[in-house]
């Protein structure tokens, strides 16, 4: 045997891989040209993780199907209906669980939908369709980050999980995501099996490609085996238009440094997210950035001087701008709820630490806020520290509802009151920690969208190149919608477009 690239007879063994049918395929590497090939020449590549096939098309729906397990026919029918209406291609990836229990392996799905080898979609998204991850794995995406190689990676698994990966600021976003499944729960009675059944997700991934970008959304089935997407509700027999949605949880807004293209796609365009989905509630995180009085800048004389030259050192101007923006972006059919957030807390910290004698441009608002705080404290007979931004908002005649740190605010049993910066028992919050809690949640704070069991995280509404950001970033412009059936869906805004 000679090298299929340069015909050299000098080569060495370079590992092997196992196909879905358990066939062992040896790989070889040429000593002269350095390229690799397999003994049957079906894999000619210099990269272990290069897909064997590239599929071109505009729209795809991808899910998985477990061996020797009945398929949820109603949900499958809803996906087929969705593909018919939206001119999308349905792909089902076979997965494996407890193969030794069955004399023969089979999958309850028409073979026309099955793909069981690595493939790429428009050279932008890679799908590892031949990977074996046990169906009861608690963290199916664990350790797979490096396989992405700068491209979004889809992995077949019964549990729904997603996270954004760090990339350079000017690079397109990269996500790591599982598919969910169309198979009914089928696990052995064990601790891992019980947890897997609890996290079992009837869902699929929808991918829509536009030139060199794509949009990824999760299609989450409800108890009726139908699901919502941005253009309607789908069952196996029919589709229904969206009249309104329950809520839209916005990526951290930081109004004074807000990205105008994100604001247009969210609020102002004729076909914006808010105008299309008509959310009854708008859940808003970190609306007041406090850039003008940030304690992070206190000892940086150069940033302080730059803020002075640009006229961006007056906290009252920032509060006015923020409240005017909130009013402008709250349509008549919606109500805005302001979640207590770490950037809002900067205002109270400034009142405690600032000296108005050396900040004369902020002296009047400093004393006004201090007076409002003291008046409010006098109205309470117990220990109470009010939110100065809320007091300023009320004093200026705005009627936004503020959600306190220790308050609860739920829609369809989804807790929406936690910004994400505060974890259990006073610890720092994290996505993994919130995933372990007993209730469903949607959080913000990290500017990094994700899904982990019952916890969803939104992204940000700002650019990725803020002055305190350096190096690779996992930030994305991402909101989360709550549909009338209580199911959640992350919506990404890419280059100013959300669909």
């Amino acid at each position: 045997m000679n090298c299929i690239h340069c015909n050299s007879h000098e080569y060495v063994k370079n590992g092997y891989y196992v196909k879905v049918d358990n066939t062992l395929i040896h790989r070889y590497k040429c000593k002269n040209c350095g390229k690799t090939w397999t003994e049957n020449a079906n894999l000619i590549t210099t990269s272990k993780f290069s897909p064997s096939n590239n599929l071109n098309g505009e729209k795809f729906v991808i899910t998985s199907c477990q061996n020797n397990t009945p398929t949820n026919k109603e949900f499958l029918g809803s996906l087929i209906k969705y593909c018919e209406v939206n001119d999308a291609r349905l792909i089902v990836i076979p997965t494996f669980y407890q193969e030794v229990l069955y004399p023969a392996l089979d999958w309850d799905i028409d073979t026309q939908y099955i793909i069981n080898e690595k493939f790429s979609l428009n050279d932008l998204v890679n799908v590892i369709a031949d990977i074996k991850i046990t169906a009861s794995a608690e963290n199916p995406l664990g350790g797979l980050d490096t396989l992405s190689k700068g491209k979004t990676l889809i992995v077949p698994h019964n549990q729904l999980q997603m996270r954004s990966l760090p990339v350079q600021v000017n690079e397109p976003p990269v996500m790591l995501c599982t598919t969910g499944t169309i198979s009914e729960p089928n696990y052995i009675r064990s601790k891992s099996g019980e947890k897997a059944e609890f996290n079992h997700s009837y869902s699929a991934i929808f991918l829509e490609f536009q030139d060199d970008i794509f949009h990824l959304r999760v299609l989450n089935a409800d108890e009726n085996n139908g699901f919502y997407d941005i253009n309607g509700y789908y069952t196996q027999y029919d589709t229904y238009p969206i009249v309104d949605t329950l809520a839209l949880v916005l990526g951290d807004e930081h109004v004074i440094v807000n990205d105008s293209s994100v604001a247009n796609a969210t609020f102002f365009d004729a076909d914006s997210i808010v105008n299309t989905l008509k959310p009854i509630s708008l859940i808003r995180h970190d609306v007041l950035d406090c850039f003008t009085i940030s304690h992070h800048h206190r000892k940086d004389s150069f940033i302080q001087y730059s803020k002075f030259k640009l006229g961006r050192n007056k906290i009252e101007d920032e509060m006015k701008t923020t409240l005017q923006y909130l009013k402008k972006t709250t349509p008549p059919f919606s109500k805005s709820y302001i979640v207590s957030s770490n950037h809002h807390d900067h205002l109270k910290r400034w009142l405690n630490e600032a000296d108005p004698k050396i900040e004369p441009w902020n002296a009047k608002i400093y004393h006004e806020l201090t007076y409002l705080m003291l008046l409010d404290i006098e109205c309470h007979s117990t220990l109470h520290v009010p939110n100065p931004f809320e007091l300023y908002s009320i004093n200026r005649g705005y009627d936004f509802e503020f959600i306190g740190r220790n308050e609860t605010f739920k829609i369809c049993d989804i807790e929406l009151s936690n910004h994400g910066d505060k974890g259990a028992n006073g610890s720092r919050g994290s996505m993994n920690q919130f995933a372990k809690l007993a209730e469903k949640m949607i959080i913000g704070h990290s500017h990094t969208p994700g899904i982990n069991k019952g916890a969803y995280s939104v992204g940000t509404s700002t650019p990725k190149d803020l002055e305190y950001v350096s190096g690779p970033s996992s930030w994305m412009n991402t909101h989360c919608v709550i549909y009338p059936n209580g199911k959640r869906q992350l919506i990404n805004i890419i280059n100013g477009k959300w669909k």
Side-chain angles (χ1 to χ4, degrees):
M1 180 171 63
N2 293 339
C3 172
I4 64 173
H5 302 286
C6 67
N7 205 35
S8 170
H9 64 278
E10 296 184 5
Y11 60 88
V12 294
K13 287 186 176 181
N14 191 40
Y16 61 89
Y17 73 97
V18 182
K19 297 182 69 175
V20 174
D21 61 3
N22 291 322
T23 303
L24 191 68
I25 304 296
H26 289 280
R27 184 184 291 110
Y28 302 92
K29 183 176 182 179
C30 180
K31 289 184 177 181
N32 289 333
C33 69
K35 295 182 179 180
T36 63
W37 76 95
T38 61
E39 54 189 339
N40 59 1
N42 285 334
L43 185 67
I44 304 174
T45 178
T46 57
S47 171
K48 291 182 180 180
F49 307 109
S50 292
S52 55
N53 190 20
N54 180 54
L55 304 180
N56 293 309
E58 184 179 343
K59 299 177 183 179
F60 297 88
V61 173
I62 305 176
T63 187
S64 68
C65 182
Q66 184 177 316
N67 65 284
N68 301 90
T69 301
T71 291
N72 182 335
K73 301 295 186 183
E74 292 184 5
F75 178 45
L76 174 60
S78 299
L79 290 176
I80 293 173
K81 182 69 174 179
Y82 179 89
C83 291
E84 291 175 353
V85 171
N86 293 282
D87 194 24
R89 176 177 174 179
L90 177 61
I91 297 174
V92 180
I93 301 173
T95 58
F96 298 81
Y97 181 67
Q98 297 292 331
E99 300 101 303
V100 296
L101 298 179
Y102 308 100
L105 298 182
D106 62 76
W107 288 265
D108 186 21
I109 184 68
D110 192 323
T111 56
Q112 67 171 311
Y113 300 119
I114 290 181
I115 297 181
N116 57 14
E117 293 184 337
K118 296 185 184 76
F119 62 94
S120 178
L121 300 176
N122 299 301
D123 285 323
L124 293 174
V125 175
N126 289 339
V127 183
I128 305 186
D130 58 352
I131 193 171
K132 285 189 176 183
I133 302 175
T134 180
S136 58
E138 188 165 0
N139 181 22
L141 294 181
L144 297 182
D145 300 44
T146 56
L147 299 188
S148 70
K149 298 300 179 185
K151 294 185 178 181
T152 290
L153 193 67
I154 307 296
V155 178
H157 197 267
N158 293 356
Q159 181 186 154
L160 182 61
Q161 193 176 45
M162 189 274 277
R163 66 172 178 267
S164 172
L165 301 182
V167 294
Q168 296 299 327
V169 171
N170 59 346
E171 294 293 327
V174 169
M175 289 165 277
L176 195 58
C177 190
T178 60
T179 58
T181 187
I182 56 173
S183 295
E184 296 180 1
N186 178 22
Y187 306 97
I188 60 174
R189 298 272 67 84
S190 65
K191 179 180 179 180
S192 62
E194 288 292 338
K195 290 193 291 185
E197 185 165 337
F198 183 82
N199 294 315
H200 188 91
S201 178
Y202 288 134
S203 55
I205 302 299
F206 172 69
L207 290 149
E208 181 177 13
F209 294 84
Q210 299 173 356
D211 300 323
D212 59 344
I213 67 171
F214 65 91
H215 295 282
L216 182 153
R217 296 191 298 274
V218 174
L219 308 177
N220 263 322
D222 57 22
E223 63 275 6
N224 297 315
N225 298 308
F227 58 86
Y228 276 96
D229 193 24
I230 60 174
N231 57 357
Y233 181 77
Y234 292 82
T235 69
Q236 61 180 325
Y237 303 114
D238 210 345
T239 62
Y240 305 89
I242 295 176
V243 177
D244 54 32
T245 55
L246 297 181
L248 182 68
V249 183
L250 298 157
D252 293 9
E253 294 187 76
H254 302 275
V255 170
I256 198 172
V257 289
N258 190 281
D259 188 322
S260 60
S261 66
V262 175
N264 289 336
T266 305
F267 300 106
F268 303 125
D269 291 343
D271 62 344
S272 69
I273 297 174
V274 168
N275 288 334
T276 300
L277 301 181
K278 291 184 167 47
I280 298 171
S281 300
L282 293 171
I283 314 302
R284 317 184 79 146
H285 293 255
D286 265 342
V287 293
L288 182 68
D289 183 82
C290 286
F291 174 85
T292 50
I293 45 88
S294 174
H295 57 275
H296 297 298
H297 303 157
R298 195 167 298 155
K299 295 183 179 181
D300 192 324
S301 59
F302 300 107
I303 289 182
Q304 294 280 42
Y305 184 73
S306 179
K307 286 163 44 171
F308 163 73
K309 291 293 291 183
L310 295 172
R312 300 181 65 184
N313 59 350
K314 298 179 179 179
I315 182 60
E316 184 167 21
D317 288 349
E318 183 178 347
M319 288 194 290
K320 286 180 178 178
T321 298
T322 300
L323 291 171
Q324 289 167 0
Y325 177 86
L326 293 179
K327 182 177 181 179
K328 185 178 180 181
T329 56
T330 304
F333 51 80
S334 298
K335 181 175 181 178
S336 284
Y337 296 85
I338 315 301
V339 177
S340 293
S341 308
N342 61 307
H343 276 258
H344 300 172
D345 294 343
H346 294 180
L347 183 59
K348 186 179 71 174
R349 178 169 178 169
W350 175 73
L351 290 174
N352 278 318
E353 299 177 357
D355 183 353
K357 294 178 182 179
I358 60 176
E359 280 185 59
W361 52 89
N362 283 324
K364 287 178 64 178
I365 190 62
Y366 172 89
H367 290 295
E368 179 186 344
L369 291 176
T370 300
Y371 182 65
L372 290 175
M373 294 277 284
L374 296 175
L375 281 181
D376 191 76
I377 291 171
E378 284 188 350
C379 295
H380 292 78
S381 58
T382 58
L383 189 65
H384 170 72
V385 180
N387 178 351
F389 181 47
E390 180 180 3
L391 295 180
Y392 181 85
S393 172
I394 295 171
N395 189 257
R396 293 302 188 273
Y398 294 95
D399 61 351
F400 307 121
E401 184 166 335
F402 285 76
I403 303 172
R405 278 288 187 185
N406 296 318
E407 294 180 10
T408 184
F409 182 78
K410 292 184 178 182
I411 294 178
C412 286
D413 294 326
I414 303 169
E415 183 59 68
L416 304 174
S417 65
N418 196 314
H419 175 54
D421 57 325
K422 303 290 186 181
N425 301 316
S427 64
R428 180 176 300 206
S430 71
M431 188 64 167
N432 289 336
Q433 184 178 129
F434 292 118
K436 297 176 182 178
L437 298 183
E439 55 190 352
K440 294 180 283 187
M441 303 185 73
I442 302 176
I443 59 172
H445 182 58
S446 68
H447 295 190
T448 300
I451 301 172
N452 192 358
K453 300 178 176 63
Y456 279 55
S457 176
V458 295
T460 181
S461 299
T462 69
K464 292 174 63 175
D465 58 352
L466 299 184
E467 46 89 17
Y468 57 86
V469 179
S470 61
S473 171
S474 58
W475 290 15
M476 287 182 64
N477 300 131
T478 304
H479 308 315
C480 184
V481 61
I482 303 177
Y483 287 111
N485 60 357
K487 294 297 180 179
R488 295 164 285 178
Q489 185 183 61
L490 295 178
I491 298 178
N492 304 312
I493 299 174
I494 312 292
N495 294 347
K497 298 180 180 179
W498 67 284
K499 61 178 180 176

